[in-house]
């Protein structure tokens, strides 16, 4: 009997994980790889799954070049120069701070040191030691500590609290080095969530960010986590925060997409009912996000974040053509929600992409109609 249960589970798992789909009278069904009815994303010029870049949500060639140089030479100076030349209040600098901190954190995880081996991420320690007054290095170090806390310790433990307190101190140092820079305070939003700042203290921190960068999408996303039900708020508080930000967003701001992130953070554990993704709440949030990406500047680095989340919701709502247009805009990069929550972001994105292709073709779409 036990063997029978194992075999049944294996069969069910196979049906769930097969990423290729067939087209049949407008419906979508799973088929084996190589089946003549299988939808093939490659016919649209999409990147193969193994080519998808999981490091970033969208392209930033300057960052990729510098990351490659820093990790190859273990010399921080190219990173220092890139940050120094990046607009202080903009979204791109925040993304680059996160990327450098994440690279150092992952290096340390892969090479923790010991037995005469130099630990990974040594370039960041040298950066801080040799350039203690450099604001970029201080911000990267603070974000590095935050990422270390979340990656290596469990919230609520003494170890987690110790690392987060160190990160809090590092945020203060970074803020002193660059008084008008919002990034040290944006980093501290994650510290506030981890340490459970009282609401009054959190709101004081938030006001410091609004004084410096009132339309910063990355900051709003970080603050939204604090207000979520699973942390220190509730569904109502998170929705209220997101909707207020969207309501005051000027034309061209991606803040109009914030309610969709609030919906995502409060998805029910089971959303097998198709109608959930076609409900009024979800549809309204998707409409706001679609409007935001259509009106935003083409070079806004946060556009990719919104588009990736839209793909997730549009596919599940069976809005195939709209999903395909979002995929065309971001294909090749998958370092964003919701894919990064998966142990295999590339596979998760590829599955949704295959579903979009199959649904699009089941309803008469083709590479020619998409291009048109």
């Amino acid at each position: 009997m036990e063997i029978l249960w194992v075999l049944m589970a294996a069969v069910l798992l196979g049906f769930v994980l097969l990423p290729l789909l067939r087209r049949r009278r407008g419906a979508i069904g799973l088929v084996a790889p190589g089946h003549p009815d299988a939808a093939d994303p490659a016919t649209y010029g999409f990147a193969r799954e193994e080519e998808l870049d999981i490091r970033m949500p969208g392209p930033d060639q300057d960052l990729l070049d510098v990351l490659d140089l820093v990790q190859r030479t273990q010399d921080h100076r190219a990173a220092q120069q890139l940050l120094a030349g990046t607009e202080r209040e903009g979204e791109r600098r925040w993304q680059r701070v996160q990327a450098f901190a994440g690279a150092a954190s992952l290096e340390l995880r892969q090479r923790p040191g010991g037995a005469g081996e130099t630990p990974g991420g040594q370039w960041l320690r040298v950066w801080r030691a040799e350039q203690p007054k450099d604001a970029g290095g201080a911000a990267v170090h603070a974000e590095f500590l935050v990422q270390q806390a979340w990656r290596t310790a469990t919230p609520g433990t003494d170890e987690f609290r110790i690392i987060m307190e160190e990160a809090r101190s590092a945020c203060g140092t970074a803020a002193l080095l660059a008084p008008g820079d919002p990034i040290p305070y944006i980093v501290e939003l994650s510290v506030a969530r981890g340490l459970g700042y009282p609401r009054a203290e959190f709101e004081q921190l938030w006001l410091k960010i609004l004084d410096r960068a009132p339309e910063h999408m990355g900051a709003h996303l970080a603050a939204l986590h604090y207000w979520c039900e699973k942390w220190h708020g509730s569904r109502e508080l998170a929705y209220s925060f997101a909707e207020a930000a969207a309501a005051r967003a000027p034309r061209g701001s991606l803040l109009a997409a914030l309610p969709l992130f609030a919906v995502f953070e409060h998805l029910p554990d089971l959303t097998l009912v198709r109608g959930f993704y076609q409900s009024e709440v979800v549809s309204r949030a998707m409409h706001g996000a679609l409007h935001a990406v259509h009106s935003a500047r083409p070079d806004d680095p946060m556009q990719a974040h919104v588009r990736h989340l839209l793909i997730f919701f549009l596919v599940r709502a069976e809005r195939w053509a709209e999903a395909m247009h979002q995929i065309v805009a971001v294909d090749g990069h998958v370092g964003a929600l919701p894919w990064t929550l998966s142990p295999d972001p590339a596979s998760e994105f590829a599955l949704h992409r295959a579903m979009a292709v199959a649904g699009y073709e089941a309803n008469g779409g083709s590479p020619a109609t998409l291009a048109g």
Side-chain angles (χ1 to χ4, degrees), residues 6-82:
V6 171
L7 289 173
M8 290 176 65
V11 171
L12 289 171
L13 189 62
F15 277 108
V16 171
L17 295 181
L18 279 173
L20 297 174
L21 303 99
R22 71 179 174 192
R23 307 174 300 282
R24 181 182 171 191
R25 292 196 297 270
I28 313 170
L30 296 173
V31 298
H35 191 285
D37 278 342
D40 185 4
T43 62
Y44 293 82
F46 294 148
R48 295 195 300 270
E49 183 178 328
E50 61 270 22
E51 296 173 339
L52 294 170
D53 191 327
I54 65 173
R55 294 171 295 179
M56 297 186 300
D60 184 345
Q61 195 58 49
D62 289 341
L63 174 60
L64 288 177
D65 292 343
V66 169
L67 270 175
D68 177 68
L69 179 63
V70 168
Q71 293 185 303
R72 182 162 35 85
T73 64
Q74 291 295 296
D75 188 332
H76 68 274
R77 285 176 293 180
Q80 180 181 353
Q81 291 168 3
L82 183 65

Side-chain angles (χ1 to χ4, degrees), residues 21-345:
L21 303 99
R22 71 179 174 192
R23 307 174 300 282
R24 181 182 171 191
R25 292 196 297 270
I28 313 170
L30 296 173
V31 298
H35 191 285
D37 278 342
D40 185 4
T43 62
Y44 293 82
F46 294 148
R48 295 195 300 270
E49 183 178 328
E50 61 270 22
E51 296 173 339
L52 294 170
D53 191 327
I54 65 173
R55 294 171 295 179
M56 297 186 300
D60 184 345
Q61 195 58 49
D62 289 341
L63 174 60
L64 288 177
D65 292 343
V66 169
L67 270 175
D68 177 68
L69 179 63
V70 168
Q71 293 185 303
R72 182 162 35 85
T73 64
Q74 291 295 296
D75 188 332
H76 68 274
R77 285 176 293 180
Q80 180 181 353
Q81 291 168 3
L82 183 65
L83 282 185
T86 306
E87 181 187 8
R88 188 167 62 181
E89 293 80 12
E91 306 279 355
R92 194 173 300 280
R93 188 164 183 269
W94 168 230
Q95 291 190 6
R96 288 173 172 177
V97 165
Q98 289 180 298
F100 287 131
S105 179
L106 289 174
E107 278 186 41
L108 182 58
R109 183 177 180 180
Q110 294 163 357
R111 300 194 311 277
E117 181 189 34
T118 302
Q122 183 67 18
W123 54 270
L124 178 54
R125 284 181 283 275
V126 172
W127 186 356
R128 291 299 296 131
E130 292 185 352
Q131 302 288 337
K133 302 294 185 183
D134 180 65
V140 173
H141 179 240
E143 174 65 15
F144 166 81
L145 291 169
V146 166
Q147 294 195 28
Q148 281 295 99
W150 291 112
R151 281 197 174 105
T152 65
T154 303
T157 63
D158 288 343
E159 180 186 7
F160 181 84
R161 179 167 290 277
I162 288 169
I163 301 174
M164 277 297 190
E165 290 289 359
E166 186 180 356
R168 185 178 191 173
S169 176
C171 288
T173 299
L176 288 173
L177 290 172
D181 189 348
I183 291 198
Y185 300 103
I186 299 174
V187 176
E188 193 178 348
L189 289 172
S190 190
V191 176
R193 174 164 56 100
L195 294 180
Y197 281 20
R199 288 184 184 175
E201 186 176 356
F202 181 86
E203 288 171 349
Q204 288 176 358
L205 171 62
W206 183 238
L207 287 174
K208 292 177 182 177
I209 295 169
L210 291 182
D211 284 343
R212 292 162 175 80
E215 298 169 24
H216 200 289
M217 180 69 172
H220 280 79
L221 289 175
L224 177 64
H225 287 299
Y226 178 91
W227 294 114
C228 286
E229 190 173 61
K230 60 188 173 185
W231 287 105
H232 309 292
S234 65
R235 179 190 300 266
E236 292 72 24
L237 286 170
Y239 279 27
S240 176
F241 173 80
E243 288 166 4
R248 67 171 182 269
R251 179 171 176 78
S253 169
L254 287 168
L255 288 177
L258 202 61
L260 188 64
F261 287 86
V263 170
F264 178 75
E265 292 295 336
H266 294 88
L267 286 178
D269 292 336
L270 284 176
T271 52
L272 299 179
V273 179
R274 182 179 64 182
F276 171 81
Y277 290 96
Q278 299 169 344
S279 66
E280 182 181 352
V281 170
V282 176
S283 296
R284 187 169 63 245
M286 281 195 288
H287 176 77
L290 286 165
H291 173 75
V293 295
H294 289 155
S295 60
R297 297 191 326 270
D299 63 343
D300 191 323
M302 292 302 293
Q303 264 210 56
H305 287 272
V306 179
R307 291 186 187 277
H308 280 292
L309 196 63
L310 272 168
I311 291 166
F312 173 87
F313 278 98
L314 290 168
V315 165
R316 293 177 180 227
E318 300 184 5
R319 294 167 62 169
W320 312 116
E322 291 168 291
M324 288 293 286
H325 285 290
Q326 300 306 318
I327 292 169
V328 167
V330 298
D331 190 73
H333 298 84
V334 296
L337 285 175
W339 327 122
T340 50
L341 296 179
S342 167
D344 189 348

